[in-house]
Amino acid sequence: MQNVYLDYVATNPLHPMVLEAMMPYLKEDFGNPLSLYSFGSKAREAIENARAQVGSLINAKPNEIIFTASGAEANNFALRGIAIANQNRGKHIIVSKVEHHSILNSARFLEKSGFAVTYLPVDKHGIVEPETVKKAITKETTLISVIHASPEIGAIEPIAEISKIAKEHNIIFHTDAVASTGNIHVDVQALGVDLLSMTAHQFYGPKGAAALFVREGIRIVPLIYGGIQEGGRRAGTENVPAIVGMGKAAELARMNIDKRISYVKPLRDKLMDGLLRIDKVHLTGHPGQRLPGHASFVVEYVEGEAMLLLLASNGIYVASGSACSSKALKASPVLLSLGMPAHLAQGSIVFTLGEGTKEEEINYTIDTFQKIVTRLREISPYSKGWEGTEDAPCIAKK
Amino acid sequence: MQNVYLDYVATNPLHPMVLEAMMPYLKEDFGNPLSLYSFGSKAREAIENARAQVGSLINAKPNEIIFTASGAEANNFALRGIAIANQNRGKHIIVSKVEHHSILNSARFLEKSGFAVTYLPVDKHGIVEPETVKKAITKETTLISVIHASPEIGAIEPIAEISKIAKEHNIIFHTDAVASTGNIHVDVQALGVDLLSMTAHQFYGPKGAAALFVREGIRIVPLIYGGIQEGGRRAGTENVPAIVGMGKAAELARMNIDKRISYVKPLRDKLMDGLLRIDKVHLTGHPGQRLPGHASFVVEYVEGEAMLLLLASNGIYVASGSACSSKALKASPVLLSLGMPAHLAQGSIVFTLGEGTKEEEINYTIDTFQKIVTRLREISPYSKGWEGTEDAPCIAKK
């Protein structure tokens, strides 16, 4: 049986050169970076080197990089740290409806703490219209956060345009670039952002290392209090091996990004063309303005989870993208925000390609997917139409 | 030159069997535990196995273990998560003055958010008198947090007695057991605690993996919002290799703890006896009620940082334990809380032993330390006494 991994958006394998860079810090160089002697200083230098590498990847200064343990932590830190630091200026923030759960749920926490939050609508391709941002701004607004690229629908948002509006109104701007950093060019100067979240395991780095870019001069309240690590802005003994790995992965991404894009995009286009030829399969997200390795669809009359499991039984590993896959048993809020009916959103499936993807794997996937959809539709009670199925199949399982 | 590592309290080397357990998850088994297919389920099973191993170490159920990325995160999560979850019942919490910065600074954050905090005094050995806890309780008190064992002075607090008082008053009780878990017997049932923080790199596990024990039925508000990881209580893609490593390290600690204690304690006693024979060297913390591998002192007329650097130049790696070592240039609040004058607190030095410590290293350390103290006192402007030096030497450097 084939073994085709097309779920790079869930996580990437570790690049062998990244693991190699990490190994000394998993073995002999185990020191705590806060220690004053040589063991400690070696670890400290390794972290500062990684900080420069990560800064370089996004065109930031090393001292603008704060390491965290996950993209979710970076997003929580950004949203709550900025909202609280600026609460004397105002208590209104703006986020889009296509944000990651770590942004949406942080926003909800802020609402419970007395902040007002505006959730920006998107168009049918999942794109935030800059005009809607302008309209949402009030005198109380201190922070706008819009995702750079959606892991679920691949759409790339017009961050530079939105950040310009934020700047005109003297509002701090954050973008969640977890799915984009290392996969497309991410330049904090070109994007004009004040804060940016990223995570290493989206560009062949290790799990457990991520970062928040905080532009020099921006004040932020810590999420994790304690010692003086990360300039007092994020406490906790540094995960030295993972941070070193993130630095190396950032260096590799910076050097190879054009090559990576030009490798993965034609394969993705082939997959997209192949699957869209199947009857009643629709692309989600924007057709052009999307992550180069990302192809996402909804398939009528079929459940995402069923497709996913049948694909897996054929050795093809993908994501459903609908919240069903995360066992929450609700239609994906991102897909609903595109104006898609709930039943259609249940048929969501997401393919993401990477460095290891091969052309024959794409051919095999197109061929297999075609057969699976046909088979599922034969047995689907909904194949004659969704009428009278207000509750989508996934929800019905509760 | 010798290479004598006596700073196990800063961090431990990774046990070779722990690294071995982690390696598959740094290589082929890189899946995201949330994914539905085999890659994901393998990672998910590995995490659940680790959860059971960590639970076993402290006599807790697997579902009472929430993985975090650091002890600091676990402490922030406990203090703020419980305080906020119970704020409708009352807004007063109690912590001791010998807590770690991650507790003290979380408490200060809560004070800024409208909570009242009582900081419990300790006796000259650093021990919290249970009677003082009783007196501090008000009708508004919802949480008491007292450290299990201090990394700075090694003192073990009477947690079982204090938790009993908390229970009598229907108050939730947390202990920071970061320095103790894996080094002495830690049993959440015997201790009677509702929450307990621990970290893997204090018992030969990896950096980047830690945990908070939350007793079944205790409601806690997340620190990091996002996906459904850790039962929705701590979001972020799991650091699978580090969690697997923590599980293995917990298993090794559980099996070997008596052996570890009986190996390290006589060596520590020898070191303690040897150093206390030097004139004007005083033990900090409790003489008997202390971590078995922990020996901490203040040395009159000498600065901690100077001792530390001269020891390092002789190949001996220890911690100053005073805040000087962390470049904060303030006398340690823990030492001041023992009633020690600021100038004496500057002469703090902490030796911590572990599995790799050898008897000849202890002999060499006693011998070298004697010489270093003599030499430093010869050149010290304070060797005739501290009179007129209200500002301790360390502070004077600002």
Side-chain angles (χ1 to χ4, degrees), chain A residues 3 5 7 10-14 19 22-23 26-27 30-32 34-39 44 69-70 72-73 76 80 84 101-102 105-106 109 201 207-208 221-228 234-241 305 308-309 312 317-318 325-327, chain B residues 3 5 7 10-14 19 22-23 26-27 30-32 34-39 44 69-70 72-73 76 80 84 101-102 105-106 109 201 207-208 221-228 234-241 305 308-309 312 317-318 325-327:
Chain A
N3 208 348
Y5 186 72
D7 197 10
T11 193
N12 291 184
L14 209 48
L19 181 56
M22 292 168 68
M23 284 313 292
L26 289 165
K27 290 182 170 175
F30 64 85
N32 186 319
L34 274 192
S35 300
L36 283 179
Y37 44 76
S38 55
F39 272 108
R44 207 156 53 240
S70 68
E73 185 193 330
N76 276 259
R80 290 154 61 186
I84 294 170
H101 287 295
S102 50
N105 290 340
S106 292
F109 174 78
H201 76 99
K207 296 177 182 66
V221 166
L223 182 68
I224 301 177
Y225 287 92
I228 59 161
R234 197 271 186 177
T237 297
E238 296 92 337
N239 187 349
V240 184
E305 199 177 327
L308 190 149
L309 294 173
Y317 306 108
V318 305
S325 68
S326 66
K327 304 189 177 73
Chain B
N3 209 347
Y5 186 73
D7 198 10
T11 193
N12 290 184
L14 208 48
L19 181 55
M22 293 168 67
M23 285 312 293
L26 289 166
K27 291 183 169 174
F30 64 85
N32 186 320
L34 274 193
S35 301
L36 282 179
Y37 44 76
S38 55
F39 271 108
R44 204 155 56 238
S70 68
E73 185 193 329
N76 275 259
R80 290 154 62 187
I84 294 170
H101 287 296
S102 49
N105 291 340
S106 292
F109 174 78
H201 76 99
K207 296 177 181 66
V221 166
L223 181 68
I224 301 178
Y225 286 92
I228 59 160
R234 198 270 186 177
T237 296
E238 296 92 337
N239 187 349
V240 184
E305 199 177 325
L308 189 149
L309 294 173
Y317 306 109
V318 304
S325 68
S326 68
K327 302 190 178 72

Side-chain angles (χ1 to χ4, degrees), chain B residues 50-333:
Chain B
R51 202 185 302 283
Q53 288 168 319
V54 170
S56 247
L57 176 63
I58 59 166
N59 196 16
K61 295 177 202 163
N63 67 356
E64 295 176 321
I65 302 298
I66 304 177
F67 287 113
T68 67
S70 68
E73 185 193 329
N75 279 340
N76 275 259
F77 182 16
L79 220 66
R80 290 154 62 187
I82 292 296
I84 294 170
N86 293 280
Q87 60 185 336
N88 292 336
R89 291 205 297 128
K91 294 186 90 169
H92 176 242
I93 68 168
I94 298 171
V95 303
S96 89
K97 283 187 178 171
V98 290
E99 298 301 309
H100 186 257
H101 287 296
S102 49
I103 291 289
L104 292 176
N105 291 340
S106 292
R108 279 180 205 121
F109 174 78
L110 286 170
E111 284 185 296
K112 280 189 203 154
S113 314
F115 286 80
V117 181
T118 300
Y119 298 88
L120 295 171
V122 292
D123 68 15
K124 64 176 181 175
H125 296 308
I127 304 291
V128 173
E129 295 269 0
E131 273 306 310
T132 63
V133 180
K134 220 176 259 180
K135 283 180 200 151
I137 291 171
T138 73
K139 279 183 188 162
E140 290 282 306
T141 313
T142 58
L143 173 67
I144 301 171
S145 181
V146 174
I147 196 164
H148 190 201
S150 164
E152 196 171 333
I153 56 171
I156 299 173
E157 303 293 342
I159 296 302
E161 285 175 67
I162 302 172
S163 75
K164 214 176 137 198
I165 296 167
K167 191 167 285 172
E168 282 163 11
H169 291 80
N170 201 22
I171 295 167
I172 297 168
F173 186 74
H174 167 257
T175 190
D176 168 5
V178 164
S180 56
T181 304
N183 293 297
I184 55 173
H185 288 276
V186 172
D187 179 324
V188 293
Q189 312 310 336
L191 292 173
V193 297
D194 299 306
L195 299 103
L196 179 144
S197 306
M198 67 183 109
T199 195
H201 76 99
Q202 294 286 328
F203 51 90
Y204 310 101
K207 296 177 181 66
L212 182 66
F213 156 76
V214 182
R215 191 177 288 280
E216 219 169 50
I218 298 280
R219 202 172 75 78
I220 187 162
V221 166
L223 181 68
I224 301 178
Y225 286 92
I228 59 160
Q229 294 94 350
E230 302 298 295
R233 294 184 293 182
R234 198 270 186 177
T237 296
E238 296 92 337
N239 187 349
V240 184
I243 289 173
V244 167
M246 182 172 188
K248 186 69 190 175
E251 184 188 271
L252 292 172
R254 189 173 56 80
M255 292 189 316
N256 301 323
I257 193 148
D258 288 318
K259 213 165 66 186
R260 283 182 186 173
I261 294 171
S262 57
Y263 177 76
V264 92
K265 199 170 170 297
L267 291 175
R268 191 278 314 267
D269 288 345
K270 184 173 192 178
L271 179 69
M272 221 153 80
D273 290 348
L275 300 195
L276 286 174
R277 251 181 249 127
I278 305 170
D279 191 36
K280 296 192 195 301
V281 170
H282 312 282
L283 192 73
T284 60
H286 197 278
Q289 202 171 311
R290 62 185 303 133
L291 290 170
H294 195 289
S296 55
F297 310 89
V298 285
V299 183
E300 291 192 46
Y301 313 138
V302 176
E303 283 179 52
E305 199 177 325
M307 288 188 278
L308 189 149
L309 294 173
L310 273 186
L311 282 168
S313 75
N314 284 277
I316 300 168
Y317 306 109
V318 304
S320 149
S322 93
C324 285
S325 68
S326 68
K327 302 190 178 72
L329 303 183
K330 284 186 201 160
S332 151

Side-chain angles (χ1 to χ4, degrees), chain A residues 74-130:
Chain A
N75 279 341
N76 276 259
F77 182 17
L79 220 66
R80 290 154 61 186
I82 292 296
I84 294 170
N86 293 280
Q87 60 186 337
N88 292 336
R89 292 205 296 128
K91 295 186 89 167
H92 176 240
I93 69 167
I94 298 170
V95 303
S96 87
K97 284 187 177 173
V98 290
E99 298 302 309
H100 186 256
H101 287 295
S102 50
I103 292 289
L104 292 175
N105 290 340
S106 292
R108 279 179 206 123
F109 174 78
L110 286 170
E111 283 185 297
K112 279 189 204 155
S113 314
F115 287 80
V117 181
T118 300
Y119 298 88
L120 295 172
V122 292
D123 69 14
K124 64 176 181 174
H125 296 308
I127 304 292
V128 173
E129 294 270 0

